């Protein structure tokens, strides 16, 4: 039986009565509130998404993790799925509490409502997992969770985790190369912050030595920023997939390390599909307003015919001693100052693009116009 057809874990019903805050809770200042991170789990059918979810729900990890299993498909439309429909349109099914302290529910339409219900339960959560059955492309979910006013600060997008089947990944990547349709596997890898390379034991048994390294190279040719974790039955160290802070502008250290690793990338690493990672570098300070216009032309106007999935970078902004970070998911982007440049640092601009039909020369030439 395929991984995604596994039986759900045994669960008991949650008591929905709202707990009265304790005296100590009442005394806590409001600004101590910390929003809960949301990890989006995606992957090809049969890769092991349900196996990962069941592992987390049953493992004795000491964390209180909420898992949302959505059932909205492409035909419903992501925009509708994001709408808080209120009591009249409530389609969130019962929350259930598991033996290890995790909670779980199934969502049919309103993701926002499910997240708000979690917050209103007044039960302290360490993390939220969103398993994306029925949605091949995680980008719309990521956009809503990352910079959505409706959710305010109660939850925040932590990272996107893509589970891939090590045995079948190459076939899934190659199956549509000669057709007009685009493989889901490319999108899922392109948007990932973490890729779990699952079922590596099957590859070890059937493939020649070095096969796993070749797969990892292929994944990094699509998305050099993703951290790859090998696994058997998705048994992974949770610290490697939770609290990644991939979208936290104040968590610049991790981003800088990724960009340093990617600085030598060029179109020479282009995958046959046209999906790749490119990195551009520029030492001179840029005008922030011009950078915004430049990125909007690329993301919004598609002026140069490039389809950018993800974008991450650090910027050296003129008349500022602050290192600025740039992040984008599809058409949504954010540029924010994160910290002061250090004395020993070489101040420069470094931006990584992940997407389809990227043109390195155009990106470099047009970015020079931002100086």
């Amino acid at each position: 039986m395929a991984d995604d057809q596994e039986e759900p874990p045994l669960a008991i019903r949650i008591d929905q009565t709202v707990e009265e805050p304790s005296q100590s809770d009442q005394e806590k200042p409001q600004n101590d509130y910390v929003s809960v991170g949301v990890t989006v789990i995606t992957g090809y059918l049969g890769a092991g998404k349900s196996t990962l979810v069941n592992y987390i729900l049953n493992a004795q990890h000491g964390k209180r993790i909420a898992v949302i299993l959505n059932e909205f498909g492409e035909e419903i439309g992501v925009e509708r799925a994001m709408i808080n429909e209120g009591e009249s349109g409530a389609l969130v099914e019962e929350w259930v509490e598991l033996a290890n302290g995790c909670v779980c529910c199934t969502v049919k339409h309103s993701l926002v409502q499910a997240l708000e219900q979690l917050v209103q339960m007044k039960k302290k959560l360490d993390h939220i997992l969103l398993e994306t059955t029925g949605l091949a492309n995680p980008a719309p979910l990521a956009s809503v969770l990352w910079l959505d006013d409706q959710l305010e600060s109660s939850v925040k997008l932590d990272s996107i985790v893509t589970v891939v089947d090590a045995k079948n990944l190459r076939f899934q990547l190659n199956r549509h190369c000669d057709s007009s349709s685009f493989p889901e596997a490319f999108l899922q890898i392109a948007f990932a912050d973490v890729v779990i390379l699952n079922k590596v034991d099957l590859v070890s048994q059937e493939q020649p030595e070095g096969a796993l390294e070749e797969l990892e190279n292929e994944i990094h040719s699509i998305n050099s920023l993703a951290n790859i974790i090998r696994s058997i039955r998705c048994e992974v160290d949770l610290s490697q997939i939770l609290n990644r802070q991939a979208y936290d502008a104040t968590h610049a250290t991790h981003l800088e390390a990724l960009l340093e690793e990617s600085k030598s990338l060029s179109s020479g690493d282009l995958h046959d599909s046209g999906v790749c990672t490119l990195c551009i570098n520029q030492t001179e300070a840029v005008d922030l307003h011009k950078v915004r216009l430049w990125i909007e032309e690329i993301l919004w106007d598609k002026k140069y015919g490039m389809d950018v999935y993800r974008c991450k970078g650090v910027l050296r902004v003129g008349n500022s001693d602050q290192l600025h970070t740039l992040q984008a998911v599809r058409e949504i982007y954010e540029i924010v100052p994160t910290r002061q440049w250090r004395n020993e640092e070489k101040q420069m601009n470094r931006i990584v693009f992940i997407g389809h039909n990227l043109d390195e020369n155009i990106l470099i030439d047009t970015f020079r116009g931002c100086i």
Side-chain angles (χ1 to χ4, degrees), residues 14 57 64-67 95-98 101-105 118 125:
I14 281 183
L57 289 178
R64 186 169 177 83
I65 300 173
V67 179
W95 289 95
V96 290
E97 184 162 10
L98 310 178
C102 293
V103 292
C104 183
C105 86
L118 269 177
L125 289 174

Side-chain angles (χ1 to χ4, degrees), residues 30-88:
Q30 290 298 313
N31 57 9
D32 280 354
Y33 178 77
V34 178
S35 56
V36 180
V38 179
T39 295
V40 176
I41 300 175
T42 186
Y44 219 76
L45 181 66
K49 298 189 303 296
S50 294
T51 302
L52 176 62
V53 169
N54 276 286
Y55 169 69
I56 293 169
L57 289 178
N58 288 287
Q60 296 302 317
H61 41 61
K63 297 181 182 292
R64 186 169 177 83
I65 300 173
V67 179
I68 300 175
L69 308 173
N70 79 64
E71 289 185 356
F72 48 78
E74 298 283 8
E75 69 279 359
I76 294 175
V78 174
E79 290 76 15
R80 179 179 168 193
M82 295 301 111
I83 295 172
N84 185 347
E85 299 178 355
E87 293 182 5
S88 61

Side-chain angles (χ1 to χ4, degrees), residues 1 6 58 71 84 107 114 123 183 196 251 266 268 285 308 355 367:
M1 186 177 290
E6 293 179 359
N58 288 287
E71 289 185 356
N84 185 347
V107 180
K123 294 177 180 287
I196 297 178
H251 188 63
S266 72
V308 175
F367 187 68

